[in-house]
Amino acid sequence: MMRRTRLISSLSLLCLSAFSLAQDKAATPAAPAIDKADQVWVIVAAALVLLMTPGLALFYGGMVRRKNVLSTMLHSFIMLGVVSILWVVAGYSIAFGKSTTGWFGGFEYLFGNGISMKDAYPYTEPLGTVSAGAFMLFQMMFAVITPALISGAIAERMKFSGYVLFTSLWSLVVYAPIACWVWNPGGWLFKKGALDFAGGTVVHLASGVSALVICIVLGKRKSVVNNEPILPNNLTTTLLGAGLLWFGWIGFNAGSALGMGDLAVNAFAVTHLAAAAGMIGWLVCEKIRHGKATALGAASGLVAGLVGITPASGFVGLPESMLIGVLAGVICCLAVNLKNKLGYDDSLDVVGVHGVGGMLGAILTGVLASGKINPAVDTALKDNGGRGGLILTQLIAVVTVAAFAMVGTFVILQITKLITGIRATPEEEQLGLDLAHHGEAGYNL
Amino acid sequence: MMRRTRLISSLSLLCLSAFSLAQDKAATPAAPAIDKADQVWVIVAAALVLLMTPGLALFYGGMVRRKNVLSTMLHSFIMLGVVSILWVVAGYSIAFGKSTTGWFGGFEYLFGNGISMKDAYPYTEPLGTVSAGAFMLFQMMFAVITPALISGAIAERMKFSGYVLFTSLWSLVVYAPIACWVWNPGGWLFKKGALDFAGGTVVHLASGVSALVICIVLGKRKSVVNNEPILPNNLTTTLLGAGLLWFGWIGFNAGSALGMGDLAVNAFAVTHLAAAAGMIGWLVCEKIRHGKATALGAASGLVAGLVGITPASGFVGLPESMLIGVLAGVICCLAVNLKNKLGYDDSLDVVGVHGVGGMLGAILTGVLASGKINPAVDTALKDNGGRGGLILTQLIAVVTVAAFAMVGTFVILQITKLITGIRATPEEEQLGLDLAHHGEAGYNL
Amino acid sequence: MMRRTRLISSLSLLCLSAFSLAQDKAATPAAPAIDKADQVWVIVAAALVLLMTPGLALFYGGMVRRKNVLSTMLHSFIMLGVVSILWVVAGYSIAFGKSTTGWFGGFEYLFGNGISMKDAYPYTEPLGTVSAGAFMLFQMMFAVITPALISGAIAERMKFSGYVLFTSLWSLVVYAPIACWVWNPGGWLFKKGALDFAGGTVVHLASGVSALVICIVLGKRKSVVNNEPILPNNLTTTLLGAGLLWFGWIGFNAGSALGMGDLAVNAFAVTHLAAAAGMIGWLVCEKIRHGKATALGAASGLVAGLVGITPASGFVGLPESMLIGVLAGVICCLAVNLKNKLGYDDSLDVVGVHGVGGMLGAILTGVLASGKINPAVDTALKDNGGRGGLILTQLIAVVTVAAFAMVGTFVILQITKLITGIRATPEEEQLGLDLAHHGEAGYNL
Amino acid sequence: MVKVEAIIRPQVLEAVQEALDVLNISGMTVLDVRGMGKQKGVTHTYRGSTYTLSLSAKTKIELVVHDEELEEVISAIQKAAQTGEIGDGKIFVTPVLQAIRIRTGERGDTSLH
Amino acid sequence: MVKVEAIIRPQVLEAVQEALDVLNISGMTVLDVRGMGKQKGVTHTYRGSTYTLSLSAKTKIELVVHDEELEEVISAIQKAAQTGEIGDGKIFVTPVLQAIRIRTGERGDTSLH
Amino acid sequence: MVKVEAIIRPQVLEAVQEALDVLNISGMTVLDVRGMGKQKGVTHTYRGSTYTLSLSAKTKIELVVHDEELEEVISAIQKAAQTGEIGDGKIFVTPVLQAIRIRTGERGDTSLH
Ligand SMILES: Nc1ncnc2c1ncn2[C@@H]1O[C@H](COP(=O)(O)OP(=O)(O)O)[C@@H](O)[C@H]1O
Ligand SMILES: Nc1ncnc2c1ncn2[C@@H]1O[C@H](COP(=O)(O)OP(=O)(O)O)[C@@H](O)[C@H]1O
Ligand SMILES: Nc1ncnc2c1ncn2[C@@H]1O[C@H](COP(=O)(O)OP(=O)(O)O)[C@@H](O)[C@H]1O
């Protein structure tokens, strides 16, 4: 998100020019003060992204069988508890502390130390117009939802304690470093000129490929092995979740402009259109392949469109966004059937939607990013020696992020296996994780 | 929404005067730059209105029978996909392109072309303080929810493909022109001085009367003919939907100020009070008539209050808003029983709530609008030759909008009938549209 | 909320200095004009708090038995209707009219009279930067949710008409005066230097102790007497409600800064961390005591954390917030079992969570409040003669608020008993209040 | 006394109730069941996978009647529940040894209505 | 072996279970049903329309017992389920030809408990 | 004609259906029930209070078959439903006096399949 900051800040400077003209001595271009309106937007955006995690809980929760609905929802909710704390304790520092290596940040912000509520995050040039505290909060919400996304892959069979331990480690050891690479002004991918406006690689690709590893390591659900029909317990819940995700995603993408200007407005517009196009793409695809347009397809398609546009949302215009959306909708609709062919049990299709959609978005960002929308693209094109170079850089980002996340996930899983174990017992799986792990039933109707 | 812009802009100018004083040369009154705070508000308001469509999906979805819950929710969700795209492709241009005739806009914005993310929408005088992109997004959310409102009338029996085709055409051929008439600075009703702050005619009346036509053309549900009891599947869903609608409606009405000033704050206050009064009005009415105050009555009453205040929300003060709310609550509570008398099957009472409530609001706006709240009312009163003239203009607006929407709906329905058909088969209706059209059940509990 | 205003305004002045410098003659420090960005934030925050009441309806609604779900949700929804109106008619004036006695406000704002949408609330020094209308709306949402909180204690057995009458009186006779004491610049506790940033005493303690009185006066539910198992009808609803509460609480606490600056950002951060820590605290506590971490525990714990941080959210930093959160989570987890020991039937644990949590928060605010976060604390320390004095003042606030609320509740209940009665008949309780009082079933699945 | 158990379509329940009302038979117990038979099942889709659930929603009614009422009850149910399409359901008659009204403790024939 | 089917009020289920426990009878199957009888129905309101659903929520329990246990079972249920108000329900006794325990394949009397 | 009532675990329903299919038996009615027996109940937690619900979720299937089919039906169900753990359930056989196909009015043996 830093890359765009450069731009935003300069835009802000332009916007402020009317006033600046009057303030003759505001000549030192160094530090545009905190802009209250920008900060209102970022704070509101952070709240919107906060709401995405309950939204995800509903989206996923509606899709599992009745006996696992609470367990699945808790997978998301518990991240709001655990990762929020971990982020302040260490994650933020690893991701956004001063990075000399380019691979991880520093240790200056451990335990929330030194995060200013008044001054901007200090390592961007020029400085941003919102306080470091607001920036840290906005980033926190991303850190919270990313491991929650993975949980869709392991629904209905993972041990709760193992899930908590795994995601805690993953958040610090996989997520925070990748966030550093891509968004820390000292990160190696950031410096290389890789473009990822709101998290195509950091959030979606990383969670999608980690999901693939974890569902292979965990093995299939008993009921999948036995070919029992698995039907979603409550698709109205899933639709509500999808609606809240769409709402929150406006904050996710347009908030990533870290201020309120043309970039933010454009990001809202392209995000919305991609979601719309993704919904249509998926519905048409399944209508052709299976004969029926479904409610779950509408919900899945809009999420696929949102995933696809995420890295591009600060770099493309309206027509490109519809293209990205429709491609993401169609390709993810096809990709969710891969698991049947390849034989892994990705309960709620995290790989097919977030892995595939994130990869697609990252590559299409390289192809479609335009300097007309965001001057930062011109810089990136120059740094990378043209369009081909930019696409190559995007591919490098995809490959390294995917490789690191997969290896990291595998290693953390082995550790988790030793400490808490990772898989529910067959009896627990049979009874349902809600009663087995949490002593509760979702519904007593 | 343009009418009030005049005012807002001048207010903004006043507000900005502190700064303007310093900017001695900002004398040319032409273009107050984009105001970041105004834009934050409009963008947030657009996000709030976006959430209303999922809210509506829940509100309606909870009221139908279990076997049609997904079908009903999809009626709303699919509008987020289809109309969003259509709006950018053509609807916005038809509604807000330069209008010379007064009946429709222009073609300059087709395919999203030329909608600036940096500069204001160009045809208001003086210019607004938010970018054309933000204005287009805000308006898009209105275009999305309006046809979704109609869907309540045809729930449980319309063919899905017919619904999508019908609403697509309706959005372009009925909604966009009416939006032009009332809100485009070149629109004939706008020029005539008709007052509609946030869509009493454009949104509620247009959808309400279209609902009447469509449910007559479609005919009654089999189960209504057979006098089977039809009970809502999940009123907790309906209450949640009503809550989200209330929340989003703050953006709908207060966002229609297109900036953050006294008009927006006032619109929030009157909107909230009308919802509150509408709830009480409906509950008291049904308590007297039927002996019990119901949860569905509370939800319906607050929506009725919100519908009633919509056109007036920028023109009346606190006491008037309570009056409008309570009248809307009581009258809509009585109006929903019309269908039993008159014999049409308006499944979820779109006619009784949005049609009647929208008409009531439009007329009461003429009666109660006050220059103390909004100087634009003084202009409108002058243009119309006093209070009587203003009320007459409001009546003309009501009649022309209603007539156009009814005829348009009827014609589009005939076309739809030829291409896709409009009614589900009796077997599909019996099985439920969820399984019949979408191959899914809402709940597998 | 006034106390902090002093500070905020001075901060705003500082922030504005860049511009102020240019505006040489803006020298009179008297009235900083309305700041649009501040007002956007407060208006958005008011909308967020508005959403908390539907959120509470869901949170509570999911916990009762199926046959009382609508009745329980209505307890919250009806407050949006009744208290909103009462607040404008009289409550706001009682709470925030000019207070000479320190015990209640004035009568100048009766019927919404004289609440300016343009100028700031007049009795703070210096004046705030948002309009009186925005301030009144923000406060209204607090007035709405507070009696709704009480409703959890009487769920499944109170007469609907009695509930409406009781809460109406309570809102005017208990809530509005307490709000005056603590937040009106003329209030006696405000003047005494008691610290309550967002309502630890006014909202949570007052509702919690009133809940205790009302559930004792009402008596136990028949099914509690008979030791029948009482299981929540839908914990997915409760989780959704908890998610919406968390989202809205950002507005509740960070909005209480009444503008966008470091205080608001800090309040967001500490609120979020306390919720996270509260969730973890409760889950660990119940895991140790009962062997399982539950979904309801996660939801309850986050709410407990939010309750605990509410009074402190403008006065403490990140580490303190985690401490407060975890303490609130653990202590409330223990406190909800008190009712079994002491023998009152607090259906949904309002006493254990809001009463105990509110008291805890108020006291911890005295212990942990820091001038580094908010200079107002330095003033309060000085006024109270040091830390010990401040803690004493906090204790006085707790005791007087609790005593007044308890007595007030008791008296109002006696009056209500005479006029409408307060308890449902045994037959109604058996059938369920939804069908008995409202003629509806929550679910017809 | 015999017990009549009829598996019928959910949508004809009202009609059956009315038909029994005519016979002055008001005691009855109703169950939501799922039935398998000649009627073909319904296909559920889930992200591209399809499952055909062979079970259709049915309603089962159970009523204990006096032996002499049996024939008219059977024919009332059969007429009211018949649509002529596959899936109309079955009526089974089984013996009952004893009936007790819980409220009064009465046994035998008088306990029924 | 006979089958005892009792239709009772949902709220007395616990009490009935306890009464049967005393007789050391633990095998039982419980169904959620709706009953029609002398008890009057409940009125549902939907936007001004009212529907009186003649069916009240009931619970049905089924237990197969040895012939010699029958009388004490009947009287245990009857006592525990009785409130004296209309709608308390019925107990029906029907013959059983055979019983098999699925787990072991045992048949007859020993398969019951 | 006899009625076979089997109380089985929900998760074996599919297997039982398949086993009956092999016998060409397709008519069947399925009910969601709760069972009490030797199998121990499940503990629910609610804010620190725990309730052990003695009832486990079970599925009941009812099918009326010809007398000569009885033995193979019993053994098919018993094999398909057996896990060997406590809680596998029971099969009960009861007499049927008459069967009527609603669609056609046919009575007796031919009305079954
Ligand atoms: N042998 C049987 N035993 C129990 N129930 C049966 C039997 N045969 C049919 N049923 C029930 O009757 C319903 C209708 O049967 P089906 O064969 O589909 O149609 P029809 O009765 O019109 O020939 C089934 O869904 C099932 O519930
Ligand atoms: N003849 C019957 N056959 C089957 N079930 C019956 C019969 N009569 C009554 N029931 C069941 O018993 C319940 C209670 O019967 P009802 O007549 O209301 O009260 P009571 O048994 O106290 O006279 C009914 O709701 C119904 O479920
Ligand atoms: N005597 C009985 N009458 C009716 N149903 C019974 C009886 N005994 C057991 N059941 C049903 O069978 C189920 C399994 O019985 P249980 O004793 O737990 O295991 P098992 O049959 O393996 O010994 C019970 O849950 C109950 O539904």
Side-chain angles (χ1 to χ4, degrees), chain D residues 7 35-39 58 85-90 92, chain F residues 27-29 62-64 101 103 112:
Chain D
I7 294 126
M36 199 169 88
K38 292 218 181 65
Q39 191 185 3
K58 297 280 168 197
E85 306 285 315
I86 284 179
D88 274 354
K90 309 270 188 270
F92 301 121
Chain F
M28 172 166 115
T29 300
E62 300 183 349
L63 57 173
V64 176
R101 188 193 300 276
R103 172 160 50 93
L112 285 190

Side-chain angles (χ1 to χ4, degrees), chain A residues 4-44:
Chain A
R4 61 200 110 98
T5 312
R6 290 187 197 170
L7 193 252
I8 269 275
S9 306
S10 34
L11 287 176
S12 309
L13 280 172
L14 282 171
C15 287
L16 283 171
S17 61
F19 301 138
S20 308
L21 287 177
Q23 305 165 18
D24 339 48
K25 300 294 176 194
T28 40
I34 300 305
D35 181 293
K36 279 170 109 169
D38 284 342
Q39 186 150 289
V40 171
W41 172 236
V42 172
I43 281 296
V44 171

Side-chain angles (χ1 to χ4, degrees), chain A residues 44-356:
Chain A
V44 171
L48 289 173
V49 184
L50 163 55
L51 188 61
M52 289 178 73
T53 298
L56 186 68
L58 296 162
F59 182 69
Y60 281 169
M63 272 190 255
V64 295
R65 283 166 298 171
R66 174 190 180 141
K67 63 184 178 180
N68 298 310
V69 59
L70 293 180
S71 147
T72 301
M73 291 184 76
L74 264 182
H75 286 159
S76 291
F77 269 90
I78 196 78
M79 292 297 97
L80 276 167
V82 173
V83 177
S84 297
I85 302 289
L86 287 177
W87 183 251
V88 166
V89 168
Y92 178 69
S93 204
I94 299 173
F96 290 103
K98 186 158 197 68
S99 178
T100 45
T101 61
W103 293 90
F104 52 86
F107 300 103
E108 65 270 50
Y109 298 131
L110 291 186
F111 297 96
N113 202 34
I115 303 172
S116 174
M117 302 291 157
K118 291 181 184 156
D119 302 317
Y121 173 71
Y123 306 132
T124 35
E125 266 179 38
L127 291 175
T129 57
V130 302
S131 68
F135 175 71
M136 182 277 285
L137 281 171
F138 185 66
Q139 290 293 342
M140 181 196 280
M141 305 310 169
F142 284 62
V144 165
I145 200 171
T146 307
L149 288 172
I150 303 178
S151 73
I154 52 82
E156 307 202 306
R157 66 192 184 286
M158 193 162 182
K159 201 171 166 177
F160 185 62
S161 53
Y163 174 76
V164 173
L165 179 58
F166 169 78
T167 48
S168 301
L169 293 172
W170 193 90
S171 169
L172 295 176
V173 177
V174 175
Y175 180 82
I178 295 178
C180 170
W181 303 357
V182 180
W183 287 332
N184 189 314
W188 72 273
L189 280 170
F190 181 85
K191 283 191 181 157
K192 222 180 141 49
L195 296 176
D196 185 356
F197 196 71
T201 50
V202 185
V203 173
H204 298 290
L205 181 65
S207 61
V209 298
S210 299
L212 179 61
V213 172
I214 195 169
C215 65
I216 291 172
V217 172
L218 265 185
K220 294 184 180 186
R221 284 167 288 173
K222 268 187 72 171
S223 37
V224 167
V225 174
N226 298 342
N227 242 320
E228 292 167 22
I230 298 182
L231 289 173
N233 76 85
N234 191 339
L235 285 177
T236 70
T237 302
T238 294
L239 281 173
L240 166 58
L244 291 181
L245 284 173
W246 191 330
F247 179 60
W249 223 298
I250 302 303
F252 199 92
N253 286 0
S256 287
L258 294 177
M260 177 45 68
D262 59 323
L263 256 195
V265 175
N266 185 72
F268 187 153
V270 298
T271 299
H272 187 79
L273 288 177
M279 186 199 285
I280 296 173
W282 189 300
L283 289 176
V284 169
C285 171
E286 68 178 1
K287 177 86 188 168
I288 291 172
R289 281 173 58 94
H290 310 293
K292 271 175 181 151
T294 67
L296 182 57
S300 310
L302 73 88
V303 170
L306 289 164
V307 169
I309 197 68
T310 295
S313 53
F315 308 117
V316 302
L318 306 184
E320 292 83 5
S321 73
M322 295 191 251
L323 179 66
I324 292 176
V326 88
L327 283 176
V330 170
I331 290 176
C332 292
C333 173
L334 300 173
V336 295
N337 291 321
L338 278 181
K339 66 179 176 186
N340 302 324
K341 301 241 168 67
L342 301 182
Y344 54 90
D345 178 18
D346 178 11
S347 316
L348 311 176
D349 296 311
V350 184
V351 181
V353 175
H354 297 275
V356 172

Side-chain angles (χ1 to χ4, degrees), chain B residues 11-12 15-16 18-19 22 35 37-38 40-41 44 48 51 65-66 129 231-236 239-240 242-244 246-247 250 254 259-266 268-269 272-273 275-277 279-280 283 287 291-298 302 318-319 322 372 443 445, chain C residues 16 19 22-24 33 36-37 39-40 42-44 46-48 50-51 54 58 69-70 73-74 77-82 84-85 88-89 111-113 115-118 131 133-134 136-137 140-141 144 160 233-234 237 240 244 247 435-445:
Chain B
L11 285 176
S12 308
C15 287
L16 282 171
F19 301 137
D35 180 294
D38 284 343
V40 171
W41 172 236
V44 171
L48 290 173
L51 188 62
R65 283 165 299 172
R66 173 189 179 142
T129 56
L231 289 172
N233 74 86
N234 192 340
L235 285 177
T236 71
L239 281 173
L240 167 58
L244 291 180
W246 192 329
F247 178 61
I250 301 303
M260 176 46 67
D262 59 323
L263 256 194
V265 175
N266 186 71
F268 187 153
H272 187 79
L273 288 177
M279 186 199 287
I280 295 173
L283 289 176
K287 176 85 189 169
K292 273 178 179 149
T294 67
L296 182 57
L302 73 90
L318 305 185
M322 295 191 252
K372 276 190 212 131
Y443 311 97
L445 293 180
Chain C
L16 282 171
F19 301 138
Q23 306 164 18
D24 338 48
K36 280 170 108 169
Q39 186 150 287
V40 171
V42 173
I43 282 296
V44 171
L48 289 173
L50 162 54
L51 188 62
L58 295 163
V69 60
L70 293 181
M73 291 184 75
L74 265 181
F77 269 90
I78 196 79
M79 292 297 96
L80 277 167
V82 172
S84 298
I85 302 289
V88 166
V89 168
F111 296 97
N113 202 32
I115 303 171
S116 173
M117 303 291 157
K118 289 182 183 153
S131 67
M136 180 277 285
L137 281 171
M140 181 196 280
M141 304 311 167
V144 165
F160 185 62
N233 75 86
N234 192 339
T237 302
L240 167 57
L244 292 180
F247 178 61
L435 278 164
H437 290 168
H438 308 293
E440 296 166 297
Y443 312 98
N444 294 294
L445 293 180

